[in-house]
Amino acid sequence: MTRAPDAVEIAPGTHWIGALDPALREFDIILKTANGTTYNSYCVRGSDGVAIIDTVKAAHADEFFKRLEQVARYDEISVIVLNHLEPDHSGALPELMRRAPQAKLYISAKAQLMLKALVRVANLEYNVVQTGDHVSLGDRTLRFFSTPFLHWPDTQCTLIEEQGILFSGDVFGCHFCDARLFNDKVGDFRFSFEYYYQHIMRPFREYVLEALSLLEPLEPKLIAPAHGPILRDAPQSYMQRYRQLAAPLLHNEAGANTKSLLVFYISSYGNTALMAQAVAEGAETEEGVRVSLYDLQSSGDLPFVDLIEEADGIAFGSPTINGDAVKPVWDLLSSLALIKVSDKLGAAFGSYGWSGEAINMIEDRLRGLKLRVPVKGVRARLIPTEEELGKCRDLGKQLAQHLTGNIERRVISMTDLLTQEQAHA
Ligand code: FEO
């Protein structure tokens, strides 16, 4: 169902003037789009002005301008609102500004940087708005709500107060192209709504909850997102679904005062497995830490991603093969882009034959994901000695102590420092 419609009135005075992209099969490299997508743009006519809310990807600008011209003249446009500056919504903006030079542009404070990079004109004029600010179109009022990190720092939503129409940007959107446009007319798009949330919004769960606290009291009668179906049937059920999706998936059964440490390992000859066992044993000696041990050899990543999202610390054990950590470890590490991990502690360990690079590489990756790596990793050549297993127990113990906050502070005396300096002289 992808026959392109003309501009479509979604509520009195407000038209959808976006573009359909049914052939798209991959968005931003990382998202699969089995049903293509839409770039939704809207035209709002008030008694004293016309507003355009968002534009479309540059390649689809002709389609957008054709629909716009069906419902408004360029010289009538007094307001342009960009809820989000990613190019799929701002691609036609420079041309729209050229055709409607009198229109005033409204963006969030964080969007300024992007705007200047997108619209390369001198003395660019625009208005910065934040939650509570509004602009009048006579009998229609556009009110702005800052919803940062859903999913860029710049994102905001815009409400037509008198009609309860919420233009929500990427929030409550999905990649699903169906020319019937409305959620009560299009095919079943639930899988796409969930997939979009998991891949775009999930890493920003705390911001989702903040945004919901701002948007739920508005009780919108219609939600008009920037992608996918327009939500006119039970719009608030989509907010409720976001609240469910943003809730912790797994509850810490060990109690709110217990920290959770997950130790993942994979082992060719059982040596890294021995080290993992020792790390877990060491961590278990610390009160108030629940330790879980998992073999990555025969398990998928997704259940572990859910576990990691709720954990306080994660340790990875990998052998070094051809100068690298092994693929199951990298697969799980790359899946962590789906969740927030920056508040966690990390560690690495592993057995190796010749070079042992895996440990540093894993530590670097953990730091790259903004985890804190408070304890230096442990490497052991082939079969770990008792001393090396002792170091693994220490690693587990210290990591657990960092989690509980019971870490012993090292006191370095001036004599120690002077001795070290002399040794390096
Ligand atoms: Fe649909 Fe974040 O752009």
Side-chain angles (χ1 to χ4, degrees):
M1 295 297 291
T2 52
R3 190 174 57 78
D6 289 336
V8 175
E9 190 169 53
I10 65 168
T14 295
H15 286 81
W16 172 85
I17 54 168
L20 306 178
D21 193 355
L24 189 78
R25 290 294 174 267
E26 206 166 60
F27 184 91
D28 268 3
I29 307 166
I30 54 166
L31 286 182
K32 302 295 175 200
T33 51
N35 294 69
T37 194
T38 65
Y39 311 106
N40 296 336
S41 170
Y42 303 93
C43 177
V44 182
R45 181 175 288 278
S47 60
D48 188 20
V50 169
I52 304 298
I53 315 285
D54 293 324
T55 73
V56 302
K57 198 173 179 177
H60 295 263
D62 289 349
E63 208 182 323
F64 159 72
F65 286 119
K66 190 172 139 228
R67 293 195 174 100
L68 192 164
E69 288 167 15
Q70 289 168 356
V71 293
R73 297 191 318 271
Y74 293 113
D75 63 6
E76 291 182 300
I77 300 170
S78 52
V79 169
I80 300 170
V81 175
L82 260 287
N83 281 329
H84 172 35
L85 271 283
E86 197 167 359
D88 52 326
H89 308 297
S90 59
L93 178 67
E95 178 60 18
L96 177 62
M97 291 172 76
R98 198 187 65 73
R99 296 188 188 193
Q102 74 290 342
K104 290 191 168 21
L105 179 60
Y106 293 83
I107 58 171
S108 72
K110 285 276 167 53
Q112 295 175 82
L113 212 59
M114 283 291 155
L115 180 70
K116 287 169 188 164
L118 281 165
V119 184
R120 302 285 191 185
V121 300
N123 305 319
L124 181 61
E125 288 184 14
Y126 55 86
N127 299 281
V128 169
V129 290
Q130 56 187 342
T131 298
D133 288 346
H134 73 279
V135 59
S136 175
L137 302 172
D139 59 353
R140 301 272 192 275
T141 309
L142 300 179
R143 195 165 292 278
F144 304 104
F145 296 88
S146 176
T147 53
F149 292 101
L150 299 184
H151 62 121
W152 272 17
D154 67 327
T155 44
Q156 63 176 10
C157 296
T158 303
L159 179 79
I160 306 181
E161 268 185 344
E162 293 79 1
Q163 294 171 294
I165 298 174
L166 182 68
F167 302 104
S168 59
D170 284 340
V171 187
F172 310 122
C174 63
H175 291 309
F176 191 85
C177 183
D178 190 322
R180 294 171 290 187
L181 290 186
F182 296 99
N183 65 329
D184 53 319
K185 298 282 187 194
V186 301
D188 192 336
F189 65 100
R190 284 174 296 180
F191 77 97
S192 181
F193 186 86
E194 306 275 318
Y195 179 82
Y196 191 87
Y197 177 90
Q198 294 298 345
H199 287 80
I200 299 289
M201 301 296 166
R202 184 176 176 182
F204 307 103
R205 188 164 85 178
E206 289 158 17
Y207 292 98
V208 169
L209 292 171
E210 275 179 27
L212 287 173
S213 299
L214 200 60
L215 302 177
E216 280 169 334
L218 306 177
E219 299 183 355
K221 294 183 176 55
L222 182 150
I223 296 175
H227 295 290
I230 296 163
L231 309 173
R232 69 178 177 186
D233 182 44
Q236 284 162 53
S237 67
Y238 295 89
M239 290 186 167
Q240 287 159 12
R241 185 62 188 142
Y242 257 46
R243 198 164 267 289
Q244 289 167 347
L245 290 167
L249 282 170
L250 304 164
H251 295 279
N252 188 350
E253 293 164 337
N257 296 324
T258 301
K259 300 294 180 185
S260 168
L261 172 64
L262 312 182
V263 181
F264 297 99
Y265 70 94
I266 188 161
S267 193
S268 308
Y269 297 103
N271 298 323
T272 300
L274 281 174
M275 296 174 79
Q277 188 64 46
V279 169
E281 283 169 10
E284 273 176 338
T285 61
E286 176 69 8
E287 287 254 338
V289 177
R290 183 190 197 185
V291 185
S292 310
L293 189 61
Y294 301 105
D295 186 347
L296 288 174
Q297 177 99 44
S298 54
S299 42
D301 298 334
L302 219 49
F304 291 146
V305 172
D306 294 344
L307 281 174
I308 290 170
E309 188 172 33
E310 307 307 325
D312 302 292
I314 44 177
F316 287 89
S318 172
T320 298
I321 297 181
N322 293 335
D324 200 353
V326 295
K327 187 171 180 296
V329 172
W330 288 128
D331 286 348
L332 182 52
L333 284 168
S334 70
S335 300
L336 301 188
L338 294 175
I339 56 173
K340 182 186 175 208
V341 288
S342 57
D343 54 351
K344 304 184 195 305
L345 301 188
F349 58 90
S351 163
Y352 67 99
W354 296 101
S355 47
E357 293 94 338
I359 289 79
N360 284 346
M361 293 168 98
I362 293 169
E363 287 178 338
D364 285 347
R365 174 65 179 152
L366 292 172
R367 289 191 193 99
L369 289 166
K370 299 194 171 58
L371 281 88
R372 194 157 65 86
V373 182
V375 190
K376 189 168 167 42
V378 179
R379 304 186 319 158
R381 192 184 291 274
L382 295 176
I383 301 170
T385 63
E386 258 318 305
E387 186 187 346
E388 286 163 338
L389 289 175
K391 285 182 181 172
C392 289
R393 287 187 203 95
D394 282 348
L395 168 65
K397 174 84 176 167
Q398 286 182 48
L399 190 59
Q401 287 176 329
H402 276 278
L403 289 173
T404 58
N406 293 333
I407 189 70
E408 293 164 20
R409 304 279 168 210
R410 272 186 70 207
V411 178
I412 301 173
S413 72
M414 285 306 289
T415 317
D416 287 344
L417 283 175
L418 285 171
T419 310
Q420 282 174 23
E421 263 183 33
Q422 281 158 2
H424 288 103

